[in-house]
Amino acid sequence: MRENFVKDIDLLKEMFSVMGIKSQQVIKLAVESLKEQNLEKANQAIKLDDEVDELEYEIENKCLLLIALQQPIAKDLRSVGTLLKVITDMERVGDYGVNIAKVTLAIGNEKLIKPLVDIPKMTAIIEEMLDKSMESFMKENIQLARSVAEMDDQVDALYESINDELLEIMVKNPSVSKQATSLLLVARHLERIADHTTNICERIIYMVTGERVEIN
C-alpha cells in the first residue's frame, strides 16, 4: 500500500509540474502579446489556460480519491493536502495571465503610451520564481523555496516603480489615463502572480517540515 501511495504522489507531482509549465506559458504569451500588440498570442494564452484548469480538476479528483482509498497520515497526508492547496495557487497564476491577455485585446492596435521595460523584467523574475517553486516541490528542497521570497521583493520593487511612473504620466497627460490604468492593472496582476508563487513555496515548507511559515 505504501509503495502504491508513493507512486501515486509522484504521478500527481508530475502533473502539477506540467500544470506549472502551462501556467508559465500563459504568462509568457500574455506579456509577449501586450509588448508586441499581438492579438493572436493573447487568444492563445486564454485558450491555453483552459488546459491549466483541466489539470487542476484532474489533480484535485485524484487527490480526493487517494485520501479516500489510502487514508494517509502525517507527512503523507501533508503531501496530499499541499497538492490540493498549490493547484489552487497555480490555477490563479494562469487566471492572472488571462487577465493580462484580455488587457492586450482591450488595447488592440492603439499605440502604447510608453515602451514596456519593467513589465517584461517583472515577468522574467516571475518565470524564474515559478521554476524554483516547482523544482523545490519536486525535490522537497525548502532552502530553494525560501529563496523565492527574495525574488518576490524584486517584483514588489518593480511594481512600485511602474505604479509611480504611470501615475506621473496620467497627471501630465490625462488623455492617456485609460491605457495607463490598464498597464497598471497588468503590473498588479504580475505582482499577484508572484504572491501566489510565494504561497506555493510556503506550502512546500509546510509539507516537508510540518511548520507553517511566512517566508515574506
Side-chain angles (χ1 to χ4, degrees), residues 14-64:
E14 290 292 342
M15 291 175 67
F16 175 68
S17 180
V18 172
M19 184 182 178
I21 290 168
K22 288 183 181 294
S23 295
Q24 277 182 300
Q25 290 172 339
V26 171
I27 298 163
K28 183 178 178 63
L29 281 168
V31 175
E32 285 180 354
S33 76
L34 179 63
K35 186 176 181 181
E36 301 167 9
Q37 294 190 273
N38 185 324
L39 306 189
E40 182 180 351
K41 279 190 176 181
N43 285 315
Q44 287 174 2
I46 293 169
K47 185 175 181 181
L48 182 59
D49 185 58
D50 291 339
E51 297 180 27
V52 175
D53 293 342
E54 289 171 8
L55 277 166
E56 183 198 14
Y57 299 143
E58 189 175 353
I59 294 170
E60 180 181 21
N61 288 335
K62 287 182 180 295
C63 282
L64 294 175

Side-chain angles (χ1 to χ4, degrees), residues 26-194:
V26 171
I27 298 163
K28 183 178 178 63
L29 281 168
V31 175
E32 285 180 354
S33 76
L34 179 63
K35 186 176 181 181
E36 301 167 9
Q37 294 190 273
N38 185 324
L39 306 189
E40 182 180 351
K41 279 190 176 181
N43 285 315
Q44 287 174 2
I46 293 169
K47 185 175 181 181
L48 182 59
D49 185 58
D50 291 339
E51 297 180 27
V52 175
D53 293 342
E54 289 171 8
L55 277 166
E56 183 198 14
Y57 299 143
E58 189 175 353
I59 294 170
E60 180 181 21
N61 288 335
K62 287 182 180 295
C63 282
L64 294 175
L65 185 62
L66 193 59
I67 292 171
L69 296 178
Q70 299 278 3
Q71 297 182 340
I73 60 173
K75 169 71 167 16
D76 291 344
L77 182 58
R78 292 202 306 273
S79 295
V80 182
T82 297
L83 272 161
L84 286 168
K85 291 287 190 178
V86 296
I87 59 173
T88 301
D89 280 304
M90 193 61 78
E91 190 271 340
R92 292 299 297 140
V93 166
D95 285 348
Y96 282 117
V98 168
N99 290 344
I100 294 169
K102 288 180 178 178
V103 170
T104 299
L105 296 176
I107 292 175
N109 296 319
E110 177 186 332
K111 184 180 178 181
L112 293 177
I113 59 175
K114 65 178 291 297
L116 298 186
V117 178
D118 286 341
I119 284 176
K121 284 182 182 177
M122 288 180 77
T123 306
I125 295 169
I126 287 165
E127 287 177 356
E128 188 176 351
M129 289 176 70
L130 284 165
D131 281 337
K132 285 189 173 184
S133 68
M134 287 186 288
E135 183 181 353
S136 68
F137 184 71
M138 297 299 290
K139 296 180 178 179
E140 299 191 0
N141 185 326
I142 62 175
Q143 287 76 26
L144 193 58
R146 289 182 186 278
S147 72
V148 172
E150 297 176 8
M151 303 181 73
D152 188 37
D153 291 338
Q154 298 174 42
V155 173
D156 289 342
L158 283 167
Y159 172 68
E160 291 298 329
S161 175
I162 292 168
N163 183 68
D164 291 345
E165 182 183 14
L166 289 172
L167 288 176
E168 184 178 345
I169 288 173
M170 283 190 278
V171 169
K172 291 181 177 178
N173 187 2
S175 66
V176 302
S177 291
K178 183 178 179 181
Q179 189 186 127
T181 302
S182 295
L183 294 177
L184 186 55
L185 276 175
V186 169
R188 176 59 177 164
H189 294 327
L190 290 170
E191 192 267 341
R192 292 298 297 137
I193 289 171

